[in-house]
Every structure is written in C-alpha cells, then in structure tokens.
C-alpha cells in the first residue's frame, strides 16, 4: 500500500526542517514528513559560519534587511514584516537556544556550535511527530488530477516517487535549495526556472602587487567592474589566490548573472583610500614636503597596511630606498593612480569558504509571496533557495529560509 501524508516537505535542510516543525506545531492533526536524499540532513547548517552556524543578522528594519538580497529584495519586503530577525531570535530562544550578536552584525548560537541548532531541530521534529525519511531521493512529482483541486480528507493532489517508495500527499513544500534535479521536476510541472549561476565567490587575481601578502586587509575600499555599472565598497582581503572579504563578495553576489556572462574574466578598478585622484595627489605632495628626509617605503600613508603600501610603491616605479624629497611628478602621479585607480585583471572565481550560494531558481513571478504558494499549482509551496532569491554573506540566506518556511506553515490550512 502506498504511503500517505497530509504534507510532504522535500529537502531536509534549514528551510525544510523549519517548515515541517512549524507546520506540525501549528497543525498537530496533520501528518508531516520530510524527504531527505542524504543519509543525514541539515548539512549546510552544520558547516555554516565555520561550524558555528550564522543563524541570522542583527538587522531589524525590513526595508534595510532587504537591501542584502541581490535577487528577491522587492518580494521579501512584505514577508519580512510578517517574520524576520526578531521573530527568528524569539523562536530559537523559546526552544532554549540563545543567540548572540557579533561586532559585524552576524548572529550565532552562544554555544558557538552549529550542533546546537541541529539538535534543536531534531528534538522539535521528534516532539511534533515529524517523520524524517533519509535516503529518499525524489525521482518524480505527479499531479493526481488533470486540474489540481483543493485537498480534502480523502483527496490526494500529488504522487511522489522516491528512490525508496511512492507517497501520496495533499500538499508539498519544496525546500531543496539549489538542486538541479528538483528544478527539472518543477519545470516539468510548468514552472519557469531562472538558470542558476554561482553567487558569493572570491576573485582569482595573479598580480605582483598582491603577491606574497595574503592576509592583508584594506579596511574600506571602492571596487568597480570596468565596463559595467557594478560597484561595491567595504573591507578587502588579499588571499593566496586573489581577493575576498565583503567588498568582493558583495560584488560577486550583485554581479552574479553579469559576471557569469563575462565567464569570470574581467577587469576591476580599486580605490584603496576612498579619495579621488586629485585629492590624493595633493596629499602626496604635502607628504613630500613634510616627510622630505624620510624614506617613502617606511612611512605608509592613508592608514594603508604597510605591506600593501610597499607593493603599491614598487608598482609606481619608486625604489625601496627613495626618500619623499626624491620623488618626481611622474612618480607621485603613478602612486596616486595606484592608490585610487588600480586596475586588476580577474581570471576566475573560487568558492567562498563553505558558503555555497546560487542565484537562480523558481521564477519569483510565479510565487504568491503572501503564502509562498505556487501561482500555477495549488498546494505546492516553496521555502529557501529553491526560488530565485539569494543574499550576501552574513546570515541573510538563512533568514530568507526561516521567513519563507514560517509563512508556509501559517498559510497551510487544516482542511
């Protein structure tokens, strides 16, 4: 006999567990099961934030929060008025998980361990009788009716075939993140899938100006992609293979589609000191007077890290031993250009730590954001990154997962 459930949640990750737990808690009469293709779930939760789980971000104004979503900002504004950061904090605290805010706004469990979040989810799932079916890879989703009708007591809308069995269900919540196989199944049901491209990645750059100084941070820079409108600002980290940190990661997220079209081969212009060229040149001329007898190599200006300052000096055709007084007009001009208009060639991308984020997914126009239900197929709901929403790093992708999953749980009726 086929297995029958009122609600099937496809995907045992953050959004899937959060949806299933809240559905089961809000509607205790409904039978709820999670289908997870792996032998255990919550893998992204486990590795997020270096194993600490960056649960959310301390931004409490919806209109400010949405600015961290390159795709989905407009659509999430309403949902964030229903469930956002403060609600996330309260939800976890009510279940014994206290969160803390770090200096950069990221929020983690006070235990500093993602296992705290995983244990909470597993406990709540068991408490509310959510069945978790591991090693259940979904092979097909079929509508039981030519015209989907509202699920009633004896009326199952969907038939799901997994690697283990067939299951009939009245409602489905798809929370599979960036899963091409599930996107294909949704496409077969009539949904439009925006082609996925990587988001949140670091830039590969082979340049002598950043060679040999990994770990150096320029605290506040401007970065733009030459030939586009793409622009970002913030801290910049020099790595063994190129550049990272918020200035680069934001650019990679907001430029995900455009940079994919460029095949990750493009030029960026960096202003290391957030001053225009003329102001910088004027300040360098003042330093030439004031520091005349000092070696330029040992007197870093503009609060730049010494190792970066020295590399930019060398790139301006100034030798290690030259004093400020020795600098000619061409050298001062070259240095001002390196500080405010440095051009770097990007030759590729690298995944940012453990953050696997993808732009793309179910077209936002096909989702009702009051309920996170499909506009095309009644009783089909979505939560998390399966839809074309993605965010910059800092806990924002999880907040999208919590918000969508919670709203789904409130939208699903007991009927």
């Amino acid at each position: 006999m086929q297995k029958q459930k009122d609600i099937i949640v496809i995907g045992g990750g953050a959004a899937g567990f959060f949806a299933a737990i809240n559905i089961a808690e809000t509607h205790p009469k409904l039978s709820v099961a999670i289908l997870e293709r792996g032998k255990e779930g919550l893998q992204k939760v486990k590795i997020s934030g270096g194993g600490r789980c960056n649960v959310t971000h301390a931004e409490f104004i919806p209109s400010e929060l949405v600015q961290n979503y390159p795709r989905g900002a407009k659509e999430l504004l309403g949902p964030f008025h229903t469930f956002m950061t403060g609600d996330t904090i309260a939800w976890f605290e009510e279940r014994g998980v206290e969160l803390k805010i770090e200096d950069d706004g990221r929020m983690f469990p006070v235990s500093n361990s993602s296992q705290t979040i995983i244990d909470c989810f597993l406990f709540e799932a068991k408490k509310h009788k959510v069945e978790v079916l591991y090693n259940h890879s979904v092979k097909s989703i079929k509508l039981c009716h030519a015209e989907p009708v509202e699920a009633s007591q004896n009326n199952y809308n969907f038939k799901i075939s997994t690697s283990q069995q067939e299951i009939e269900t009245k409602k489905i919540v798809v929370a599979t993140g960036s899963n091409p196989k599930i996107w294909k199944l949704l496409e077969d049901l009539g949904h439009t899938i925006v082609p996925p491209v990587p988001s949140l990645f670091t830039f590969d750059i082979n340049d002598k100006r950043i060679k040999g100084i990994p770990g150096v941070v320029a605290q506040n820079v401007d970065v733009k992609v030459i030939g586009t409108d793409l622009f970002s600002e913030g801290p910049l980290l020099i790595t063994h293979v190129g550049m990272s940190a918020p200035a680069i990661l934001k650019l990679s997220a907001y430029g995900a589609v455009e940079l994919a079209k460029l095949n990750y081969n493009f030029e960026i212009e960096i202003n290391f000191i957030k001053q225009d060229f003329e102001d910088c040149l004027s300040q360098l001329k003042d330093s030439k007077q004031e520091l005349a007898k000092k070696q330029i190599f040992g007197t870093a200006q503009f609060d730049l890290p010494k190792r970066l300052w020295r590399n930019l000096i060398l790139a301006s055709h100034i030798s290690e031993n030259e004093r400020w007084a020795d600098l000619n007009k061409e050298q001062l001009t070259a240095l001002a250009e390196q500080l405010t208009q440095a051009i770097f060639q990007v030759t590729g991308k690298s995944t940012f730590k453990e953050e696997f984020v993808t732009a793309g997914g179910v077209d936002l126009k096909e989702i009702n954001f009051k309920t996170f239900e499909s506009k095309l197929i009644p009783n089909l709901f979505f939560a998390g990154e399966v839809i074309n929403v993605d965010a910059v790093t800092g806990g924002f992708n999880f907040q999208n997962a919590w918000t969508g999953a919670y709203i789904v749980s409130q939208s699903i009726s007991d009927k």
Side-chain angles (χ1 to χ4, degrees), residues 30-336:
L30 297 181
S31 56
V32 182
I34 295 172
L35 303 181
E36 166 54 42
R37 63 180 172 171
K39 62 178 187 289
E40 52 184 320
L42 300 165
Q43 288 306 291
K44 201 163 177 182
V45 171
K46 191 173 189 174
I47 61 174
S48 154
R52 296 195 298 145
C53 189
N54 185 185
V55 176
T56 186
H57 200 96
E59 176 52 74
F60 299 94
I61 302 165
S63 59
E64 296 287 326
L65 184 59
V66 295
Q67 289 176 23
N68 296 284
Y69 296 83
R71 281 146 291 273
K74 178 165 61 81
E75 290 80 4
L76 288 175
L77 186 58
F80 282 156
H81 278 91
T82 301
F83 190 93
M84 62 171 291
T85 314
D87 304 295
T88 299
I89 296 165
W91 192 94
F92 281 104
E93 284 189 348
E94 282 162 18
R95 289 155 185 83
V97 179
E98 198 180 337
L99 303 180
K100 61 174 180 177
I101 303 172
E102 302 214 329
D103 291 344
D104 59 3
R106 292 182 303 159
M107 297 194 70
F108 296 89
V110 293
S111 66
N112 271 332
S113 171
S114 56
Q115 195 61 43
T116 305
I117 304 299
I118 293 170
D119 291 345
C120 170
F121 282 164
L122 294 176
F123 176 83
E124 291 294 320
K126 191 173 181 182
K127 174 181 169 184
H128 296 290
K129 299 180 174 58
V130 173
E131 189 176 2
V132 187
L133 300 168
Y134 296 106
N135 298 307
H136 273 61
S137 182
V138 173
K139 303 299 183 189
S140 70
I141 303 169
K142 292 193 173 78
L143 297 170
C144 294
H145 308 273
E147 290 296 320
V149 294
E150 184 61 42
S152 66
Q153 203 61 34
N154 302 306
N155 186 12
Y156 292 91
N157 282 341
F158 303 97
K159 185 181 285 185
I160 300 172
S161 295
T162 79
S163 50
Q164 306 268 3
Q165 61 185 322
E166 290 201 332
I167 305 169
E168 288 189 338
T169 185
K170 298 172 183 178
K171 299 175 197 286
I172 293 176
V173 183
V174 183
T176 46
S178 306
N179 184 327
K181 287 179 180 172
I182 299 298
W183 280 331
K184 178 69 175 72
L185 297 182
L186 293 172
E187 210 165 30
D188 292 345
L189 289 172
H191 268 289
T192 306
I193 304 300
V194 176
V197 293
S199 179
L200 273 194
F201 48 85
T202 63
F203 292 175
D204 295 349
I205 299 169
N206 185 2
D207 191 293
K208 63 184 180 185
R209 287 168 292 179
I210 58 170
K211 266 268 167 52
I213 58 169
V216 165
V217 176
Q219 287 301 335
N220 199 6
V221 308
D222 290 339
V223 189
K224 60 184 178 186
V225 178
I226 293 172
T228 75
D229 294 329
L230 296 171
F231 168 84
S232 178
E233 59 185 341
L236 182 144
L237 169 70
I238 292 165
T239 70
H240 287 283
V241 293
M243 294 179 181
S244 184
I248 298 298
L249 295 169
K250 275 191 277 186
L251 204 57
S252 76
Y254 281 90
V257 175
E258 209 162 341
L259 298 181
K261 286 177 185 168
L262 295 171
N263 201 25
Y264 309 107
N265 213 297
F266 52 90
E267 287 184 322
I268 55 173
E269 180 181 299
I270 300 178
N271 185 330
F272 286 105
I273 61 172
K274 290 181 80 74
Q275 285 188 22
D276 67 28
F277 171 80
E278 293 298 338
D279 286 345
C280 174
L281 186 58
S282 173
Q283 199 166 325
L284 289 174
K285 286 175 180 174
D286 289 344
S287 297
K288 178 178 159 82
Q289 301 298 323
E290 293 162 13
L291 304 168
K293 293 180 180 176
K294 294 195 171 175
Q295 283 188 331
I296 187 166
F297 220 59
T299 48
Q301 301 295 295
F302 307 102
D303 294 322
L304 270 189
K306 284 178 186 171
R307 289 193 293 164
L308 177 59
W309 168 258
R310 288 171 179 175
N311 280 8
L312 296 180
I313 294 287
L314 296 173
S316 308
H317 307 294
I318 300 168
S319 68
E320 289 184 31
N321 302 318
E322 285 192 69
R323 296 177 306 155
W324 280 94
D326 301 329
L327 297 184
N328 60 37
K329 186 181 175 185
E330 286 75 22
Q331 288 171 315
L332 286 171
T333 300
L335 181 54

Side-chain angles (χ1 to χ4, degrees), residues 395-409:
F396 301 104
N397 281 298
F398 274 142
Q399 186 55 54
N400 165 50
W402 314 140
T403 295
Y406 182 82
I407 290 175
V408 166
S409 75

